[in-house]
């Protein structure tokens, strides 16, 4: 069913067989850009027969090629005589090639990498006219593989920002995000609040009930923070051992204080017994709130130091309470 | 042997015809106006090109290479600092997501962009100077400038070096195109350019 090679040619006896079994598409065009040969791979993947193609222009057979970048490149290549590459990235699938006829009605076009090679000056001498061949490689697998790798890379990147114990963000996420959030305060003209929480008498808790119980306590406290700070822009991270930080964009002091007090209340309500505590019978938190108002210059480092200081002020003042600093200086 | 100022100036004109064709092909592909300009053409040693690129902070470059043969034989190497090659591909693809590295598919896209540019430039030269060349398909090379340029021959070899300025939207990218020429090829380039200049006067 294939186009015969030029009759009477002195090509080797195996050439037709090789061309027909190549695992890539091959088209040969004459000087008028009419198809004079299409290999079996190309016919199988287009679902065409040789007579439907031979002696016809490519855009007569494939309507979608009319006015396409492929046709433009073909014309340029033939005019200049220089080999030309069409990448999958810039032209995903110029030809209607499918893995099998069954997939024709599905959206399973093969991704194609195409090379257009006009016969060079030295070869034209041994030909009756200047031929051009088009080589089409199926790169669908490579495209899928790269897509998978990229997806995995972004997944790994996301994982690198997660605290394994609590499932909250980690210190790295805070360090990466805070500078941008601080810059936005000036840009958007809205206050940024930071709340730092610390579990009271956590060392005693661990000493009394063991580290596994301590881990569980941290997870439960983290759960409360996740529940209270649930606006999409809120960022909650485990800052260090038993210190958790919430970064709240577009949040004024009053709201931040209310939310912090809500967290303290909900943690007391968990009623996790802590016999080592000297302020309550159950696990409690101390918290500090710092607010960065628009128009005030501050750095992420300063802001963290301030919130750390007010949190320690809450500790000194007797724990189980929220302290604040009205404006980050 | 080298080229005179006058001969190099003539080449600036000739190369600008070629990049003009490339600009219209690239604009069509990008769906946006791509402007290309060749401000200068020089004869330099490979070492000189390398120093110039390194001075611009381009330690690692991305290159598209093609061979051309005919009256003169040359390997054409189009080079971009890696960061700029990423921007170029991103602009051509019209993607919003910044690329972090050149994957297999992005490298192929860069090969296509380089192929369009190199074919247009060499066709432009061939048309104006009435020469005929055969070309190869492009291949991509990544690495330090010295490695990419010094793959063959010595770093003291002379090359014909073009600076190419790309402008797409607000983005401006500088690329370098060098033609590796052996002594005979420099001689035939010189005599071709001379004949061209005489034909003008």
């Amino acid at each position: 069913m294939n186009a015969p090679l030029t009759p009477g040619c002195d090509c080797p006896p195996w050439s037709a067989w090789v061309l027909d079994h190549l695992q890539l598409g091959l088209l040969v065009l004459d000087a008028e850009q009419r198809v004079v040969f299409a290999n079996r791979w190309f016919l199988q993947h287009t679902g065409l027969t040789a007579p439907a193609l031979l002696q016809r222009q490519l855009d007569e057979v494939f309507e979608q090629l009319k006015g396409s970048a492929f046709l433009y490149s073909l014309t340029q290549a033939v005019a200049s005589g220089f080999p030309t590459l069409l990448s999958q990235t810039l032209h995903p699938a110029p030809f209607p090639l499918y893995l099998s006829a069954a997939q024709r009605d599905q959206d399973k076009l093969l991704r194609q990498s195409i090379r257009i090679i006009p016969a060079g000056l030295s070869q034209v001498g041994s030909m009756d006219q200047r031929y051009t061949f088009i080589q089409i490689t199926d790169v669908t697998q490579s495209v899928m593989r790269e897509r998978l790798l990229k997806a995995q890379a972004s997944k790994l990147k996301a994982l690198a920002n997660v605290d394994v114990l609590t499932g909250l963000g980690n210190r790295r996420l805070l360090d990466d995000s805070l500078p941008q959030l601080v810059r936005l305060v000036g840009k958007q003209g809205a206050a940024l609040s930071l709340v730092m929480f610390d579990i009271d008498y956590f060392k005693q808790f661990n000493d009394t009930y063991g580290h596994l119980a301590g881990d569980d306590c941290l997870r439960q406290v983290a759960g409360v923070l996740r529940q209270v700070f649930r606006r999409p822009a809120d960022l909650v991270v485990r800052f260090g051992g038993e210190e958790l930080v919430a970064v709240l964009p577009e949040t004024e002091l009053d709201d931040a204080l209310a939310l912090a007090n809500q967290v303290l209340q909900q943690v007391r309500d968990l009623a996790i017994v802590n016999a080592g505590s000297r302020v309550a019978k159950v696990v409690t938190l101390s918290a500090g709130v710092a607010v960065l108002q628009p128009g005030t210059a501050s750095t992420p480092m300063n802001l963290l130091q301030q919130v750390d200081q007010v949190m320690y002020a809450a500790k000194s003042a007797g724990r189980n309470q929220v302290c604040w600093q009205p404006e980050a200086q | 042997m080298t080229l005179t100022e006058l001969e190099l100036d003539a080449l600036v004109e000739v190369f600008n015809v070629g990049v003009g064709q490339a600009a219209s092909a690239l604009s069509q592909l990008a769906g946006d106006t791509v402007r290309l300009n060749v401000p200068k053409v020089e004869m330099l040693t490979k070492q000189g090109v390398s120093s110039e690129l390194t001075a611009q902070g381009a330690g690692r470059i991305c290159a598209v290479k093609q061979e051309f043969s005919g009256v003169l034989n040359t390997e054409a190497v189009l080079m971009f600092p890696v960061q700029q090659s990423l921007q170029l591909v991103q602009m051509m693809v019209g993607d919003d997501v910044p690329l972090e590295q050149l994957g297999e598919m992005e490298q192929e896209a860069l090969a296509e962009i380089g192929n369009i540019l190199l074919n247009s430039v060499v066709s432009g030269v061939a048309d104006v100077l009435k020469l005929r060349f055969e070309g190869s398909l492009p291949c991509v090379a990544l690495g330090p400038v010295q490695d990419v340029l010094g793959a063959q021959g010595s770093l003291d070899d002379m090359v014909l070096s073009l600076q190419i300025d790309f402008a797409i939207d607000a983005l401006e990218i500088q690329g370098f195109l060098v033609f590796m020429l052996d002594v005979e090829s420099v001689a035939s380039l010189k005599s071709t350019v001379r004949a061209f200049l005489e034909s003008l006067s």
Side-chain angles (χ1 to χ4, degrees):
Chain A
M1 72 181 218
N2 266 295
L5 294 170
T6 315
C9 85
D10 54 0
C11 40
W14 40 260
S15 55
W17 165 70
V18 169
L19 288 177
D20 247 10
H21 288 82
L22 272 182
Q23 291 307 298
L24 48 81
L26 207 56
L27 286 169
V28 181
L29 310 183
D30 66 11
E32 312 295 321
Q33 295 187 31
R34 283 180 305 232
V35 179
V36 294
F37 176 78
N39 75 339
R40 189 188 291 181
W41 189 97
F42 187 84
L43 295 174
Q44 275 174 349
H45 290 81
T46 49
L48 293 173
T49 57
L53 263 172
L54 293 179
Q55 298 308 318
R56 298 180 67 192
Q57 302 273 340
L58 280 175
D59 57 346
E60 281 177 57
V61 183
F62 304 108
E63 286 279 328
Q64 61 267 54
L65 289 182
K66 281 204 165 76
S68 69
F70 167 80
L71 221 55
Y72 178 81
S73 303
L74 176 63
T75 312
Q76 289 290 109
V78 171
S80 70
F82 293 144
T84 298
L85 169 75
L86 279 92
S87 66
Q88 181 282 141
T89 308
L90 296 171
H91 322 265
F95 287 96
L97 300 171
Y98 296 86
L99 213 50
S100 70
Q103 291 173 322
R104 195 149 284 276
D105 47 352
Q106 299 168 26
D107 190 22
K108 292 268 172 75
L109 270 173
L110 294 187
R111 296 306 191 100
Q112 300 152 31
S113 170
I114 299 177
R115 280 149 187 80
I116 302 171
I117 304 175
L121 296 172
S122 43
Q123 289 101 42
V124 171
S126 61
M127 292 176 176
D128 58 333
Q129 55 182 302
R130 184 171 204 170
Y131 293 97
T132 297
F133 85 81
I134 300 171
Q135 175 191 316
I136 305 164
T137 316
D138 169 18
V139 292
T140 313
Q141 296 289 340
S142 307
V143 174
M144 295 304 161
R145 189 175 59 232
E146 290 223 342
R147 205 176 278 169
L148 194 70
L149 283 174
K150 275 182 187 159
Q152 280 175 342
S154 53
K155 209 174 183 179
L156 282 175
K157 210 173 163 185
L159 276 179
N161 287 329
V162 170
D163 173 59
V164 184
L165 180 63
T166 59
L168 298 175
N170 59 12
R171 178 68 187 268
R172 181 209 299 258
L173 180 63
L174 183 72
D175 290 346
D176 287 351
S177 319
L178 199 54
Q180 169 74 357
L181 293 170
V182 166
R183 274 197 297 276
L184 280 177
V185 171
K187 255 192 190 166
Q188 299 182 335
L192 175 74
S193 291
L194 250 73
V195 191
M196 184 179 280
F197 299 93
D198 187 274
I199 302 177
D200 297 326
Y201 299 106
F202 192 61
K203 187 185 177 306
Q204 287 78 354
F205 184 92
N206 275 327
D207 290 347
T208 314
Y209 306 103
H211 283 92
L212 288 180
D215 287 353
D216 190 52
C217 172
L218 254 172
R219 269 193 291 264
Q220 290 194 57
V221 171
V224 169
L225 265 74
R226 226 193 321 262
Q227 221 181 334
V228 173
F229 304 111
R230 55 176 167 220
R231 292 178 310 174
D234 292 348
L235 175 68
V236 185
V237 304
R238 181 173 173 209
F239 187 70
E242 70 269 28
E243 283 178 337
L244 307 173
V245 169
V247 184
L248 314 171
E250 299 181 45
T251 305
E252 293 291 345
L253 176 66
D254 289 351
D255 296 324
L257 278 174
L259 290 166
N261 278 308
Q262 198 181 326
V263 168
L264 262 63
Q265 185 56 50
Q266 288 193 24
V267 168
R268 285 191 292 265
D269 292 348
L270 289 174
I272 307 167
V273 175
N274 185 4
S277 171
R278 288 184 224 154
V279 293
K281 290 185 172 148
V282 294
V283 166
T284 57
L285 303 183
S286 295
V289 179
V291 181
L292 179 65
Q293 292 294 347
T296 12
S298 185
T299 62
M301 179 74 93
N302 282 339
L303 207 54
L304 282 171
Q305 273 170 357
Q306 276 156 3
V307 78
D308 192 50
Q309 278 166 13
V310 274
M311 194 274 289
Y312 274 98
K315 291 260 177 208
S316 313
R319 297 185 170 85
N320 191 17
Q321 59 188 282
V322 182
C323 274
W324 70 92
Q325 178 165 345
E327 210 163 283
Q329 305 285 308
Chain B
M1 176 172 311
T2 184
L3 276 76
T4 64
E5 281 295 312
L6 187 66
E7 288 157 357
L8 288 171
D9 283 347
L11 281 175
V12 171
E13 300 290 320
V14 174
F15 281 125
N16 271 303
V17 173
V19 296
Q21 288 170 2
S24 75
L26 290 174
S27 298
Q28 202 174 31
L29 203 55
D32 204 341
T33 312
V34 177
R35 278 160 294 145
L36 294 178
N37 182 41
V38 176
K40 64 174 174 182
V41 176
E42 300 172 278
M43 289 290 292
L44 292 171
T45 58
K46 288 184 190 174
Q47 184 61 55
V49 175
S50 163
S51 311
E52 215 169 291
L53 272 162
T54 313
Q56 295 193 3
R60 285 177 63 80
I61 57 158
C62 187
V64 182
K65 297 181 175 191
Q66 261 179 247
E67 281 168 21
F68 292 94
S69 56
V71 201
L72 51 93
N73 300 314
T74 182
E75 184 181 29
V77 186
L78 176 65
M79 300 176 288
F80 299 99
V82 170
Q83 202 51 43
Q84 309 226 319
S85 67
L86 289 168
Q87 287 182 324
L88 184 60
V89 172
Q90 194 192 338
M91 288 299 306
M92 294 299 293
V93 177
D95 209 343
D96 296 334
V97 188
L99 289 169
E100 282 180 26
Q101 50 190 338
L102 281 182
E104 191 183 333
M105 292 296 128
E106 286 83 24
Q107 283 191 31
E108 198 196 24
L110 193 72
E112 175 174 352
I113 296 164
N115 182 228
I116 291 173
L117 187 80
L118 293 172
N119 283 355
S120 303
V121 167
V122 177
S123 305
V125 173
D127 286 348
V128 178
L129 301 181
K130 314 255 182 302
L131 300 172
R132 298 175 81 189
F133 293 105
E134 272 193 46
S136 72
L137 278 164
C139 62
V140 172
L142 284 159
V145 196
Q146 273 110 331
D147 292 5
V148 174
L149 280 179
Q152 284 155 11
S154 119
L155 283 171
D156 296 328
D157 292 346
M158 294 297 280
V159 297
L160 187 69
S161 162
L162 287 66
Q163 182 187 319
I164 301 185
D165 296 338
F166 285 71
I168 313 170
D169 262 348
L171 182 75
E172 287 184 12
I173 286 179
Q174 211 169 66
F176 286 87
L177 169 54
V178 304
F179 291 97
M180 315 273 198
L181 296 163
D182 53 23
V183 180
E184 293 116 63
S185 296
V186 174
S188 58
L189 178 66
K190 192 176 174 71
S191 62
T192 313
V193 175
R194 264 197 200 149
F196 169 69
L197 284 169
E198 275 161 25
S199 76
L200 293 181
S201 54

